[in-house]
Amino acid sequence: MQRTSRVHVAGHTGLVGSAIVRRLLADGCECVLTASRAECDLRDPDQVDRYFAASQPEYVFLAAARVGGIHANSAFPADFIRDNLQIQTNVIDASHRYGVRKLLFLGSSCIYPRECPQPIREEYLLTAPLEPTNAPYAVAKIAGLIMCQSYRRQFGMNAIVAMPTNLYGPGDSFDLENAHVLPALLRRMHEARQGAAPDVIVWGTGAPRREFLHVDDLADACVFLMREYDGMEPINVGCGEDVSIRELAEAIRDVVGYRGELRFDTSRPDGTPRKLLDVSRLTALGWTPRIALADGLRSTYSWYCEHAGAVRGA
């Protein structure tokens, strides 16, 4: 992938896609191709076909997906499996038919089994049952991964798969019902501080442990993999460290400056007990993250405050 290559970022307005666009532009990429949903609905095969015929991308980052937290996955399971299957099927197939040189597909750490040995190695995929609360999304992402491998076997397509851990950063959704845990907590505590609320409700027991990676680090890893990795097997992308939800909530409380109490609502589901990725395969290739969680929380909160009223979900 050169500076003059035609690079399409599918899902460029989302958390991951927008970070990849920022990374490519910072690298001096001269032809970053994007299309809004109005210009090309990736769920529609005819629209995707017309877009690829007109734009002729050489490299594709497939970051487009329907995503959300536990509540969204539980409330809209049909939407999650349908939309993600449609998006990835259309983009992967069009990439093959129009001769894309290389495609990077974004999987997710949530596609690993619920009761998975820790840290999670890539080969643990499909070795045990999934977490029920996000099974439709996980099944769709697994299908995308296997589709990439199948197109490689049958057609020789250079399709690689990155498996990111939990992400956060600028451009995230801060919807209180449907967002992931970190942005939802950040917004709750920000509003509690503004309203002098005595406490903030945190879903679940606070015991589950999660690994968090700043989205700019993920974007850097994706560009690195696009340039340096050509293997069939998926590659975990994370920082190799995790925190409990309670520890995360306390860290966010400190960053926001909220002085009230944390109240854990144990009627809400915890989800998977622990998700920590084994990132040794990626580290061996020569990539490591640069943004510590404490620094990332501070910069994300600053971004949220600067864009209050315009952020997704606000």
Side-chain angles (χ1 to χ4, degrees):
M1 189 172 67
Q2 306 300 318
R3 293 177 65 177
T4 56
S5 299
R6 298 174 64 79
V7 184
H8 174 59
V9 181
H12 72 286
T13 62
L15 173 65
V16 175
S18 61
I20 292 174
V21 169
R22 288 196 300 272
R23 181 67 178 80
L24 291 170
L25 294 177
D27 248 13
C29 186
E30 298 172 4
C31 192
V32 178
L33 307 172
T34 61
S36 67
R37 181 177 294 183
E39 295 169 315
C40 179
D41 187 335
L42 298 179
R43 298 170 298 180
D44 185 325
D46 293 332
Q47 291 189 39
V48 173
D49 188 80
R50 288 194 294 270
Y51 175 79
F52 271 73
S55 62
Q56 294 292 317
E58 298 173 87
Y59 297 87
V60 172
F61 290 90
L62 180 40
R66 176 182 282 272
V67 298
I70 289 178
H71 173 77
N73 275 270
S74 299
F76 309 108
D79 293 347
F80 273 82
I81 191 167
R82 180 198 62 236
D83 288 0
N84 285 300
L85 285 172
Q86 290 174 335
I87 289 167
Q88 61 207 32
T89 296
N90 294 336
V91 174
I92 293 169
D93 187 63
S95 295
H96 157 63
R97 289 186 290 105
Y98 285 96
V100 166
R101 293 185 179 184
K102 191 172 185 180
L103 175 143
L104 183 146
F105 174 69
L106 269 296
S108 170
S109 62
C110 76
I111 75 176
Y112 286 113
R114 171 183 167 83
E115 303 293 341
C116 209
Q118 304 288 320
I120 303 170
R121 298 179 60 85
E122 290 88 349
E123 55 264 33
Y124 295 163
L125 185 65
L126 296 175
T127 58
L130 299 169
E131 160 60 37
T133 58
N134 63 11
Y137 173 79
V139 167
K141 283 293 185 178
I142 292 169
L145 185 159
I146 294 176
M147 187 173 181
C148 287
Q149 293 176 332
S150 300
Y151 271 59
R152 176 185 287 269
R153 289 192 182 101
Q154 185 170 340
F155 303 118
M157 180 180 175
N158 193 357
I160 63 173
V161 179
M163 304 280 278
T165 189
N166 299 280
L167 303 170
Y168 71 99
D172 210 342
S173 170
F174 291 84
D175 184 280
L176 291 178
E177 288 293 320
N178 297 321
H180 290 107
V181 59
L182 191 154
L185 282 175
L186 190 150
R187 180 180 170 187
R188 283 195 196 110
M189 292 195 201
H190 173 77
E191 294 181 351
R193 181 175 65 84
Q194 288 187 317
D199 57 37
V200 165
I201 295 175
V202 182
W203 287 10
T205 64
R209 300 188 66 84
R210 294 290 182 268
E211 175 184 17
F212 294 95
L213 183 73
H214 194 282
V215 71
D216 286 342
D217 272 338
L218 172 64
D220 186 68
C222 287
V223 173
F224 173 86
L225 289 170
M226 185 67 92
R227 290 175 171 152
E228 303 293 337
Y229 182 68
D230 290 304
M232 176 180 288
E233 298 306 315
I235 295 281
N236 285 340
V237 183
C239 63
E241 299 177 356
D242 63 359
V243 295
S244 71
I245 297 301
R246 179 181 291 275
E247 291 168 333
L248 174 70
E250 291 170 348
I252 291 174
R253 179 171 59 180
D254 291 342
V255 166
V256 172
Y258 174 62
R259 300 298 176 227
E261 298 297 319
L262 301 178
R263 186 157 57 88
F264 291 86
D265 182 359
T266 57
S267 69
R268 300 283 192 169
D270 271 340
T272 303
R274 190 183 188 195
K275 283 197 304 181
L276 175 65
L277 295 182
D278 183 317
V279 294
S280 57
R281 184 176 291 177
L282 180 57
T283 301
L285 291 174
W287 186 89
T288 54
R290 291 176 290 186
I291 304 172
L293 180 59
D295 295 332
L297 289 177
R298 283 191 290 270
S299 64
T300 300
Y301 183 54
S302 295
W303 181 90
Y304 174 80
C305 291
E306 290 171 8
H307 296 80
V311 297
R312 289 190 297 149

